[in-house]
Amino acid sequence: MSLPKGLAEDVSRNLVMVAQLIDEDPEKAYGYSRVALRLASRVAAVREAAGFAAYATQKYSEALAEFRAARRMSGGVELWPVMADCERGLGRPERALAMAGEPEVQKLDKAGQVEMRLVAAGARRDLGQLDAAIVTLQSPELASSAVHPWTARLRYAYADALLAAGREQEAREWFGKALEADKDGATDASDRLAEMDGVEFVDAFDEDESDDSDESGVVDLEDEDDEDDEDDRDGDKG
């Protein structure tokens, strides 16, 4: 709203492309975000979008800079967890843990606090503190039977931490609970369960196998019918 109409439309188009492509083609999304940034670097939403595009392409230093700029402009705290995760991406898990203890976390909504918990647990794992990661994820949100948008990811992270600690039976149980909550396919819990059960997925029919079948005496039913018709005609002639 602070931009001239024509410029605002150009910026908006680029931001829409960022949103549409960030999951399937993050590099293209990143390119569109750079265009928007050149056009309107003083708009918080643009800096935030640029941050997420950089984050999706693992440009963590750049992402962190953009998130910090967006936060200064907007004054909000919702980007705090992803900023902490950028610190992890930069190989600084201690900083991520320090951020998990800052007052900003108390200002986050429930989803943001769960996200911060996931980041903190990841930082513990980065440091080789598996037991601490497990304890970090243990919370009322994890114990709750209610399903929220973040439930599957929280249960999945807990299962993965348990598995890393060698607690396979518990891990299997929690991968199952993650799958129950994962209505949108946000995790690969089903694949992890299959892997733990020793199940391998293969294509039922391979193109080469199909070719081999044709060469190994499998009769085409249409050809067989044609042969029967010829026999019938020969019989009529006789």
Side-chain angles (χ1 to χ4, degrees), residues 46 53 60-61 87 105 114 133 143 150 168-169 172 177 179 187-188 191 204 207-208 213 219:
V46 171
Y60 297 117
S61 181
E87 296 287 5
V105 176
V114 170
W150 37 261
E168 293 189 11
Q169 188 58 41
R172 195 188 188 294
K177 290 182 178 181
L179 182 58
T187 73
D188 63 347
D191 293 340
E207 184 176 350
D208 293 336
S213 296
V219 178

PDB file of all heavy atoms in Angstrom, residues 46 53 60-61 87 105 114 133 143 150 168-169 172 177 179 187-188 191 204 207-208 213 219:
ATOM      1  N   VAL A  46       8.293  -7.840   1.513  1.00  0.00           N
ATOM      2  CA  VAL A  46       9.266  -8.193   0.483  1.00  0.00           C
ATOM      3  C   VAL A  46      10.521  -8.781   1.118  1.00  0.00           C
ATOM      4  O   VAL A  46      11.061  -9.793   0.655  1.00  0.00           O
ATOM      5  CB  VAL A  46       9.621  -6.959  -0.375  1.00  0.00           C
ATOM      6  CG1 VAL A  46      10.798  -7.266  -1.314  1.00  0.00           C
ATOM      7  CG2 VAL A  46       8.404  -6.503  -1.174  1.00  0.00           C
ATOM      8  N   ALA A  53      12.774 -17.296   0.590  1.00  0.00           N
ATOM      9  CA  ALA A  53      13.330 -17.841  -0.649  1.00  0.00           C
ATOM     10  C   ALA A  53      14.803 -18.203  -0.465  1.00  0.00           C
ATOM     11  O   ALA A  53      15.257 -19.251  -0.938  1.00  0.00           O
ATOM     12  CB  ALA A  53      13.158 -16.835  -1.782  1.00  0.00           C
ATOM     13  N   TYR A  60      21.651 -19.431   4.121  1.00  0.00           N
ATOM     14  CA  TYR A  60      21.221 -19.093   5.472  1.00  0.00           C
ATOM     15  C   TYR A  60      21.685 -17.726   5.942  1.00  0.00           C
ATOM     16  O   TYR A  60      20.965 -17.037   6.655  1.00  0.00           O
ATOM     17  CB  TYR A  60      21.674 -20.177   6.444  1.00  0.00           C
ATOM     18  CG  TYR A  60      21.054 -21.521   6.162  1.00  0.00           C
ATOM     19  CD1 TYR A  60      21.834 -22.618   5.794  1.00  0.00           C
ATOM     20  CD2 TYR A  60      19.667 -21.702   6.234  1.00  0.00           C
ATOM     21  CE1 TYR A  60      21.262 -23.851   5.523  1.00  0.00           C
ATOM     22  CE2 TYR A  60      19.091 -22.927   5.959  1.00  0.00           C
ATOM     23  CZ  TYR A  60      19.892 -24.001   5.601  1.00  0.00           C
ATOM     24  OH  TYR A  60      19.320 -25.222   5.329  1.00  0.00           O
ATOM     25  N   SER A  61      22.868 -17.321   5.559  1.00  0.00           N
ATOM     26  CA  SER A  61      23.360 -16.008   5.970  1.00  0.00           C
ATOM     27  C   SER A  61      22.495 -14.904   5.366  1.00  0.00           C
ATOM     28  O   SER A  61      22.101 -13.950   6.052  1.00  0.00           O
ATOM     29  CB  SER A  61      24.821 -15.842   5.544  1.00  0.00           C
ATOM     30  OG  SER A  61      25.307 -14.579   5.950  1.00  0.00           O
ATOM     31  N   GLU A  87      20.538 -19.892  12.175  1.00  0.00           N
ATOM     32  CA  GLU A  87      21.763 -20.035  12.972  1.00  0.00           C
ATOM     33  C   GLU A  87      22.239 -21.488  12.953  1.00  0.00           C
ATOM     34  O   GLU A  87      23.432 -21.768  12.847  1.00  0.00           O
ATOM     35  CB  GLU A  87      21.520 -19.572  14.411  1.00  0.00           C
ATOM     36  CG  GLU A  87      21.182 -18.100  14.570  1.00  0.00           C
ATOM     37  CD  GLU A  87      22.403 -17.189  14.358  1.00  0.00           C
ATOM     38  OE1 GLU A  87      23.492 -17.681  13.988  1.00  0.00           O
ATOM     39  OE2 GLU A  87      22.252 -15.979  14.570  1.00  0.00           O
ATOM     40  N   VAL A 105      10.332 -15.607  22.687  1.00  0.00           N
ATOM     41  CA  VAL A 105       9.631 -16.887  22.544  1.00  0.00           C
ATOM     42  C   VAL A 105       8.276 -16.846  23.244  1.00  0.00           C
ATOM     43  O   VAL A 105       7.293 -17.425  22.764  1.00  0.00           O
ATOM     44  CB  VAL A 105      10.500 -18.043  23.091  1.00  0.00           C
ATOM     45  CG1 VAL A 105       9.742 -19.369  23.028  1.00  0.00           C
ATOM     46  CG2 VAL A 105      11.806 -18.147  22.308  1.00  0.00           C
ATOM     47  N   VAL A 114       5.798 -24.030  19.251  1.00  0.00           N
ATOM     48  CA  VAL A 114       6.110 -25.401  18.845  1.00  0.00           C
ATOM     49  C   VAL A 114       7.257 -25.404  17.847  1.00  0.00           C
ATOM     50  O   VAL A 114       8.174 -26.233  17.925  1.00  0.00           O
ATOM     51  CB  VAL A 114       4.866 -26.087  18.242  1.00  0.00           C
ATOM     52  CG1 VAL A 114       5.232 -27.419  17.588  1.00  0.00           C
ATOM     53  CG2 VAL A 114       3.808 -26.302  19.312  1.00  0.00           C
ATOM     54  N   ALA A 133      17.618 -33.583  23.339  1.00  0.00           N
ATOM     55  CA  ALA A 133      16.687 -33.309  22.240  1.00  0.00           C
ATOM     56  C   ALA A 133      15.341 -33.965  22.502  1.00  0.00           C
ATOM     57  O   ALA A 133      14.277 -33.362  22.281  1.00  0.00           O
ATOM     58  CB  ALA A 133      17.277 -33.810  20.926  1.00  0.00           C
ATOM     59  N   ALA A 143       1.953 -34.513  23.975  1.00  0.00           N
ATOM     60  CA  ALA A 143       1.093 -35.475  24.668  1.00  0.00           C
ATOM     61  C   ALA A 143      -0.371 -35.350  24.266  1.00  0.00           C
ATOM     62  O   ALA A 143      -1.143 -36.300  24.422  1.00  0.00           O
ATOM     63  CB  ALA A 143       1.227 -35.287  26.180  1.00  0.00           C
ATOM     64  N   TRP A 150       0.687 -28.403  13.156  1.00  0.00           N
ATOM     65  CA  TRP A 150       2.065 -28.733  13.485  1.00  0.00           C
ATOM     66  C   TRP A 150       2.197 -30.088  14.188  1.00  0.00           C
ATOM     67  O   TRP A 150       3.312 -30.537  14.460  1.00  0.00           O
ATOM     68  CB  TRP A 150       2.652 -27.653  14.403  1.00  0.00           C
ATOM     69  CG  TRP A 150       1.694 -27.084  15.409  1.00  0.00           C
ATOM     70  CD1 TRP A 150       1.009 -25.905  15.308  1.00  0.00           C
ATOM     71  CD2 TRP A 150       1.274 -27.678  16.650  1.00  0.00           C
ATOM     72  NE1 TRP A 150       0.204 -25.717  16.412  1.00  0.00           N
ATOM     73  CE2 TRP A 150       0.352 -26.795  17.265  1.00  0.00           C
ATOM     74  CE3 TRP A 150       1.597 -28.862  17.313  1.00  0.00           C
ATOM     75  CZ2 TRP A 150      -0.250 -27.050  18.484  1.00  0.00           C
ATOM     76  CZ3 TRP A 150       0.999 -29.145  18.530  1.00  0.00           C
ATOM     77  CH2 TRP A 150       0.091 -28.238  19.096  1.00  0.00           C
ATOM     78  N   GLU A 168      14.028 -47.985  19.350  1.00  0.00           N
ATOM     79  CA  GLU A 168      13.307 -48.298  18.122  1.00  0.00           C
ATOM     80  C   GLU A 168      11.814 -48.546  18.335  1.00  0.00           C
ATOM     81  O   GLU A 168      10.990 -48.109  17.537  1.00  0.00           O
ATOM     82  CB  GLU A 168      13.950 -49.502  17.428  1.00  0.00           C
ATOM     83  CG  GLU A 168      15.348 -49.214  16.897  1.00  0.00           C
ATOM     84  CD  GLU A 168      15.866 -50.342  16.027  1.00  0.00           C
ATOM     85  OE1 GLU A 168      15.075 -51.242  15.670  1.00  0.00           O
ATOM     86  OE2 GLU A 168      17.067 -50.325  15.717  1.00  0.00           O
ATOM     87  N   GLN A 169      11.459 -49.275  19.371  1.00  0.00           N
ATOM     88  CA  GLN A 169      10.048 -49.592  19.587  1.00  0.00           C
ATOM     89  C   GLN A 169       9.234 -48.323  19.839  1.00  0.00           C
ATOM     90  O   GLN A 169       8.139 -48.148  19.294  1.00  0.00           O
ATOM     91  CB  GLN A 169       9.895 -50.575  20.757  1.00  0.00           C
ATOM     92  CG  GLN A 169       8.480 -51.118  20.926  1.00  0.00           C
ATOM     93  CD  GLN A 169       7.981 -51.822  19.665  1.00  0.00           C
ATOM     94  OE1 GLN A 169       8.729 -52.556  19.011  1.00  0.00           O
ATOM     95  NE2 GLN A 169       6.731 -51.595  19.308  1.00  0.00           N
ATOM     96  N   ARG A 172       8.948 -46.369  16.592  1.00  0.00           N
ATOM     97  CA  ARG A 172       7.938 -46.905  15.684  1.00  0.00           C
ATOM     98  C   ARG A 172       6.539 -46.438  16.096  1.00  0.00           C
ATOM     99  O   ARG A 172       5.712 -46.071  15.250  1.00  0.00           O
ATOM    100  CB  ARG A 172       8.002 -48.430  15.675  1.00  0.00           C
ATOM    101  CG  ARG A 172       7.256 -49.040  14.506  1.00  0.00           C
ATOM    102  CD  ARG A 172       7.149 -50.541  14.587  1.00  0.00           C
ATOM    103  NE  ARG A 172       6.597 -51.054  13.350  1.00  0.00           N
ATOM    104  CZ  ARG A 172       5.367 -50.831  12.915  1.00  0.00           C
ATOM    105  NH1 ARG A 172       4.531 -50.093  13.630  1.00  0.00           N
ATOM    106  NH2 ARG A 172       4.954 -51.324  11.761  1.00  0.00           N
ATOM    107  N   LYS A 177       2.008 -42.501  15.169  1.00  0.00           N
ATOM    108  CA  LYS A 177       1.169 -41.373  15.605  1.00  0.00           C
ATOM    109  C   LYS A 177       1.338 -40.172  14.678  1.00  0.00           C
ATOM    110  O   LYS A 177       0.374 -39.435  14.419  1.00  0.00           O
ATOM    111  CB  LYS A 177       1.537 -40.984  17.038  1.00  0.00           C
ATOM    112  CG  LYS A 177       1.127 -42.023  18.089  1.00  0.00           C
ATOM    113  CD  LYS A 177       1.478 -41.565  19.482  1.00  0.00           C
ATOM    114  CE  LYS A 177       1.024 -42.572  20.534  1.00  0.00           C
ATOM    115  NZ  LYS A 177       1.341 -42.137  21.905  1.00  0.00           N
ATOM    116  N   LEU A 179       1.990 -40.375  11.488  1.00  0.00           N
ATOM    117  CA  LEU A 179       1.246 -40.713  10.269  1.00  0.00           C
ATOM    118  C   LEU A 179      -0.249 -40.484  10.452  1.00  0.00           C
ATOM    119  O   LEU A 179      -0.926 -39.996   9.540  1.00  0.00           O
ATOM    120  CB  LEU A 179       1.523 -42.174   9.902  1.00  0.00           C
ATOM    121  CG  LEU A 179       0.871 -42.690   8.624  1.00  0.00           C
ATOM    122  CD1 LEU A 179       1.301 -41.862   7.426  1.00  0.00           C
ATOM    123  CD2 LEU A 179       1.214 -44.158   8.415  1.00  0.00           C
ATOM    124  N   THR A 187       5.124 -35.109   6.175  1.00  0.00           N
ATOM    125  CA  THR A 187       6.278 -35.908   6.582  1.00  0.00           C
ATOM    126  C   THR A 187       6.332 -37.187   5.742  1.00  0.00           C
ATOM    127  O   THR A 187       5.389 -37.515   5.018  1.00  0.00           O
ATOM    128  CB  THR A 187       6.191 -36.310   8.066  1.00  0.00           C
ATOM    129  OG1 THR A 187       5.184 -37.329   8.219  1.00  0.00           O
ATOM    130  CG2 THR A 187       5.838 -35.118   8.946  1.00  0.00           C
ATOM    131  N   ASP A 188       7.430 -37.911   5.872  1.00  0.00           N
ATOM    132  CA  ASP A 188       7.541 -39.217   5.213  1.00  0.00           C
ATOM    133  C   ASP A 188       7.418 -40.341   6.245  1.00  0.00           C
ATOM    134  O   ASP A 188       8.112 -41.357   6.166  1.00  0.00           O
ATOM    135  CB  ASP A 188       8.846 -39.336   4.432  1.00  0.00           C
ATOM    136  CG  ASP A 188      10.076 -39.267   5.337  1.00  0.00           C
ATOM    137  OD1 ASP A 188       9.932 -38.887   6.520  1.00  0.00           O
ATOM    138  OD2 ASP A 188      11.185 -39.607   4.873  1.00  0.00           O
ATOM    139  N   ASP A 191       6.956 -43.878   4.977  1.00  0.00           N
ATOM    140  CA  ASP A 191       8.183 -44.483   4.445  1.00  0.00           C
ATOM    141  C   ASP A 191       9.102 -44.933   5.573  1.00  0.00           C
ATOM    142  O   ASP A 191       9.742 -45.987   5.489  1.00  0.00           O
ATOM    143  CB  ASP A 191       8.920 -43.491   3.550  1.00  0.00           C
ATOM    144  CG  ASP A 191       8.157 -43.181   2.279  1.00  0.00           C
ATOM    145  OD1 ASP A 191       7.275 -43.984   1.907  1.00  0.00           O
ATOM    146  OD2 ASP A 191       8.434 -42.140   1.652  1.00  0.00           O
ATOM    147  N   ALA A 204       5.819 -52.861  -9.829  1.00  0.00           N
ATOM    148  CA  ALA A 204       5.279 -54.185 -10.106  1.00  0.00           C
ATOM    149  C   ALA A 204       5.675 -54.656 -11.496  1.00  0.00           C
ATOM    150  O   ALA A 204       5.938 -55.826 -11.732  1.00  0.00           O
ATOM    151  CB  ALA A 204       3.759 -54.166  -9.962  1.00  0.00           C
ATOM    152  N   GLU A 207       9.596 -52.055 -17.576  1.00  0.00           N
ATOM    153  CA  GLU A 207       9.488 -52.055 -19.029  1.00  0.00           C
ATOM    154  C   GLU A 207      10.283 -53.199 -19.647  1.00  0.00           C
ATOM    155  O   GLU A 207       9.835 -53.872 -20.573  1.00  0.00           O
ATOM    156  CB  GLU A 207       9.991 -50.714 -19.578  1.00  0.00           C
ATOM    157  CG  GLU A 207       9.823 -50.589 -21.091  1.00  0.00           C
ATOM    158  CD  GLU A 207      10.246 -49.221 -21.585  1.00  0.00           C
ATOM    159  OE1 GLU A 207      10.477 -48.338 -20.751  1.00  0.00           O
ATOM    160  OE2 GLU A 207      10.336 -49.069 -22.813  1.00  0.00           O
ATOM    161  N   ASP A 208      11.465 -53.446 -19.088  1.00  0.00           N
ATOM    162  CA  ASP A 208      12.296 -54.528 -19.615  1.00  0.00           C
ATOM    163  C   ASP A 208      11.639 -55.874 -19.386  1.00  0.00           C
ATOM    164  O   ASP A 208      11.697 -56.769 -20.239  1.00  0.00           O
ATOM    165  CB  ASP A 208      13.675 -54.511 -18.959  1.00  0.00           C
ATOM    166  CG  ASP A 208      14.461 -53.271 -19.354  1.00  0.00           C
ATOM    167  OD1 ASP A 208      14.159 -52.712 -20.429  1.00  0.00           O
ATOM    168  OD2 ASP A 208      15.345 -52.867 -18.589  1.00  0.00           O
ATOM    169  N   SER A 213       8.688 -60.677 -21.356  1.00  0.00           N
ATOM    170  CA  SER A 213       7.489 -61.501 -21.341  1.00  0.00           C
ATOM    171  C   SER A 213       6.998 -61.750 -22.756  1.00  0.00           C
ATOM    172  O   SER A 213       6.573 -62.840 -23.118  1.00  0.00           O
ATOM    173  CB  SER A 213       6.388 -60.824 -20.513  1.00  0.00           C
ATOM    174  OG  SER A 213       6.777 -60.705 -19.170  1.00  0.00           O
ATOM    175  N   VAL A 219       1.245 -65.287 -25.259  1.00  0.00           N
ATOM    176  CA  VAL A 219       0.477 -65.152 -26.484  1.00  0.00           C
ATOM    177  C   VAL A 219      -0.440 -63.951 -26.401  1.00  0.00           C
ATOM    178  O   VAL A 219      -1.121 -63.744 -25.400  1.00  0.00           O
ATOM    179  CB  VAL A 219      -0.364 -66.428 -26.746  1.00  0.00           C
ATOM    180  CG1 VAL A 219      -1.209 -66.257 -27.998  1.00  0.00           C
ATOM    181  CG2 VAL A 219       0.559 -67.628 -26.868  1.00  0.00           C
TER     182      VAL A 219
END
